[in-house]
Amino acid sequence: MDFVDVDIVNDTPVFLSPKALTMLPSEFGDECVHLVQNFFQTVLDYIRGGKNHQAEALLRELREPNETRLGLSSGKAQGHALGSGSAHNVWESLSQSEAAKSGLLEDLEDTVLMIEGISVDIVSDMTTNIIRAPLIRYTQRMCEQYGIPTSPGVDSGPLWNSIEKRWYSEFVELPIAGSGRLIFVPKVLVRTHLQYDAGEYFRHFLLTRMQQAELAANTELVEIVKSGKGKRARTRKRVTKKALLGKYGTGKKAIVAETRKHPDALATYKALKRDEKHLPLTLEDMSSLEGAAETDWAALLHAVRSVPTGQADAGRYEKAVEGIISALFYPNLTNPNVQHEIHNGRKRIDVTYTNMGVHGFFKWLATHYSSAHVFVECKNYGKEVGNPELDQLSGRFSPSRGQVGILVCRQFHNKTLFLQRCADTAKDSRGFIMALDDDDLASLTLSREDEPLFAEWKLLRSRFDALIN
């Protein structure tokens, strides 16, 4: 499944990462980023404008998000530190923070560095609340896709309206289990830690910059250290981090005060983090954290091979192919949208994936070709697949949606001829189609089975090279 498996009793020890939202090149990702930035900027604008009552009122709606069952609660899932009382604490920390007033705060994850009492679980909870509306729509689609029962008339919880800058709620359809509603979170959005860490920033960036400043000013913290003897004797100046901590203190108040003196330290840290890989967890990591069995590759392949050939079982074949493709190419291909309608419903695509382009072949693809989405068509034919099927898939391409697809079928009577037809389609500027049959899926599965981070996909690369050479 594309989402974190829900334990209806205990929380799964992962967090929703705001940074991960920015890595998801899709309408879903763009909407989530917009909502988070809009909400947080609204709160900060109120605080800087002295409208503290309005700021606290917005934060007060950030209730405990039990419905995702994520975090570090022990025993029964109970949400985290947000609620009316804790929202007041968050507002108080923000309103009293020099970082908020001075403009040091830019992103939601900045609060981990600058605001007392805000840590990874709080940021995750705030994010969950703010993007609840797109998460609900995602949950509804996953329920329809995987046949998960839902109940009508469920209170959505607070939803953020970025245009009117207010909270609202409505009744929606959601799955119900245990203590209440469930909302699913895509696996690619969760991490075991956030990208920003206050201790890391303070120890390895800010203190280092403070040492340089003390040495340049030759303050009382500067020590003369001798080394060697006789002609080899040398002296050097130093400022210890212990001395800095004694003079300036520790904690986020000290971080804010010293960052205002040395903003380049924060700029350096954030620039490093922008370039740092903040990769999604592997399927193996997720299985361990969820307490579930690891991916059964043989079972996924058997699910495909065991489907009888023919139109009567086309839906079953499509579901089996989606299962193995989603597992094979995670986390690069994510957010599978089955029977995706385009052109106002006049055309459908069997499965549409978002290409995150995390690493390997799919990153190369995203860098060089229009492939924000990758489209998959499944043909459970007993007859030869030919030009009509190629034309059908290429007709789904567009510069904005993407121009790369995968056509999966049971077998080819003349594979060489069909691959040449795919090359002809590419040469005619009608898009890039990689053709795979059941045997190719078996080969890909063998490549992936023993390598959790397998990403090069030489088979796919060879098929794509044949289209462009």
Side-chain angles (χ1 to χ4, degrees):
M1 294 183 293
D2 188 64
F3 54 88
V4 180
D5 195 12
V6 176
D7 184 334
I8 63 173
V9 177
N10 301 305
D11 286 342
T12 302
V14 293
F15 304 97
L16 201 161
S17 164
K19 174 66 174 180
L21 296 174
T22 67
M23 299 170 62
L24 196 60
S26 65
E27 291 181 4
F28 175 87
D30 292 344
E31 180 185 7
C32 290
V33 169
H34 166 72
L35 289 172
V36 170
Q37 292 177 339
N38 179 272
F39 175 81
F40 199 57
Q41 191 59 53
T42 300
V43 171
L44 290 179
D45 287 345
Y46 279 151
I47 289 173
R48 291 167 185 159
K51 299 178 180 180
N52 290 313
H53 176 74
Q54 291 95 322
E56 185 177 359
L58 293 183
L59 290 166
R60 197 178 296 122
E61 292 299 321
L62 299 175
R63 301 167 186 170
E64 296 179 350
N66 293 339
E67 56 263 53
T68 61
R69 307 297 200 271
L70 305 182
L72 296 176
S73 296
S74 59
K76 184 179 179 181
Q78 54 187 314
H80 293 63
L82 289 172
S84 59
S86 296
H88 175 80
N89 294 337
V90 171
W91 160 79
E92 189 172 46
S93 295
L94 285 171
S95 62
Q96 294 178 1
S97 168
E98 287 299 315
K101 296 175 182 176
S102 67
L104 283 175
L105 286 178
E106 295 178 359
D107 305 310
L108 181 54
E109 285 199 43
D110 285 1
T111 60
V112 174
L113 303 178
M114 304 289 179
I115 305 298
E116 291 289 353
I118 297 185
S119 56
V120 56
D121 55 341
I122 300 294
V123 170
S124 176
D125 286 349
M126 292 173 75
T127 307
T128 301
N129 276 280
I130 297 166
I131 68 170
R132 183 179 277 111
L135 285 179
I136 286 175
R137 294 196 299 273
Y138 171 82
T139 301
Q140 292 169 336
R141 184 161 57 80
M142 290 296 106
C143 287
E144 180 179 1
Q145 191 162 310
Y146 294 110
I148 300 170
T150 59
S151 298
V154 179
D155 182 5
S156 65
L159 308 173
W160 178 245
N161 185 318
S162 63
I163 297 176
E164 299 180 9
K165 309 294 180 66
R166 65 176 181 85
W167 292 102
Y168 70 102
S169 64
E170 58 188 18
F171 292 107
V172 297
E173 283 199 20
L174 282 174
I176 300 292
S179 60
R181 64 183 178 238
L182 298 179
I183 292 179
F184 303 148
V185 178
K187 289 178 180 177
V188 294
L189 297 184
V190 301
R191 304 289 189 271
T192 54
H193 63 280
L194 295 188
Q195 194 172 32
Y196 287 3
D197 179 86
E200 175 189 52
Y201 167 61
F202 187 53
R203 290 189 303 273
H204 302 302
F205 291 82
L206 188 54
L207 283 179
T208 298
R209 182 65 186 87
M210 291 164 65
Q211 284 176 315
Q212 295 169 352
E214 296 288 327
L215 286 168
N218 200 28
T219 69
E220 75 280 4
L221 299 187
V222 176
E223 300 176 354
I224 305 297
V225 181
K226 295 182 179 180
S227 61
K229 295 181 180 180
K231 293 182 178 180
R232 294 186 177 182
R234 296 288 187 273
T235 61
R236 63 183 178 88
K237 295 180 179 181
R238 75 173 185 184
V239 174
T240 66
K241 291 183 177 180
K242 181 178 180 180
L244 287 171
L245 296 177
K247 179 177 180 179
Y248 296 105
T250 60
K252 292 184 180 178
K253 287 185 178 180
I255 289 178
V256 172
E258 294 308 309
T259 298
R260 294 190 70 182
K261 298 177 188 175
H262 311 291
D264 53 319
L266 181 60
T268 300
Y269 181 71
K270 294 178 74 170
L272 176 72
K273 290 298 180 179
R274 277 194 295 272
D275 297 333
E276 184 182 85
K277 291 183 178 179
H278 190 52
L279 297 178
L281 301 170
T282 66
L283 290 180
E284 288 72 16
D285 290 335
M286 289 303 310
S287 295
S288 176
L289 291 165
E290 293 169 342
E294 290 193 359
T295 305
D296 189 336
W297 297 103
L300 288 172
L301 184 59
H302 176 73
V304 174
R305 287 196 180 276
S306 64
V307 177
T309 300
Q311 185 60 36
D313 291 287
R316 182 180 163 194
Y317 181 68
E318 178 186 301
K319 184 174 292 187
V321 169
E322 183 270 314
I324 197 168
I325 293 283
S326 294
L328 280 171
F329 301 140
Y330 170 89
N332 286 288
L333 297 189
T334 186
N335 196 18
N337 192 346
V338 173
Q339 290 298 311
H340 178 209
E341 293 184 352
I342 60 173
H343 298 164
N344 295 319
R346 292 187 296 276
K347 292 182 179 180
R348 288 175 178 265
I349 303 168
D350 285 349
V351 191
T352 300
Y353 288 94
T354 296
N355 181 14
M356 282 192 69
V358 174
H359 45 34
F361 170 73
F362 287 102
K363 182 175 182 179
W364 173 85
L365 196 64
T367 302
H368 295 90
Y369 296 90
S370 175
S371 56
H373 297 93
V374 173
F375 309 107
V376 176
E377 286 289 329
C378 309
K379 302 301 179 185
N380 192 35
Y381 289 178
K383 62 179 182 179
E384 174 72 325
V385 178
N387 286 329
E389 289 72 32
L390 278 177
D391 294 341
Q392 179 190 25
L393 181 51
S394 67
R396 272 58 175 165
F397 297 155
S398 78
S400 58
R401 283 191 298 272
Q403 294 180 309
V404 175
I406 300 173
L407 191 150
V408 186
C409 67
R410 308 313 302 265
Q411 63 180 3
F412 298 98
H413 296 309
N414 188 333
K415 197 169 190 175
T416 300
L417 176 61
F418 190 81
L419 294 180
Q420 184 56 55
R421 287 172 172 165
C422 292
D424 293 339
T425 299
K427 289 182 176 68
D428 290 340
S429 300
R430 292 189 290 123
F432 305 94
I433 298 173
M434 295 169 283
L436 304 174
D437 58 19
D438 283 4
D439 289 340
D440 290 326
L441 292 179
S443 177
L444 291 168
T445 302
L446 287 175
S447 299
R448 172 64 178 80
E449 195 166 5
D450 296 325
E451 178 52 68
L453 293 177
F454 193 87
E456 294 309 319
W457 301 114
K458 293 180 180 179
L459 175 60
L460 293 185
R461 185 61 183 265
S462 67
R463 294 283 159 85
F464 200 89
D465 284 347
L467 303 178
I468 59 178
N469 293 331

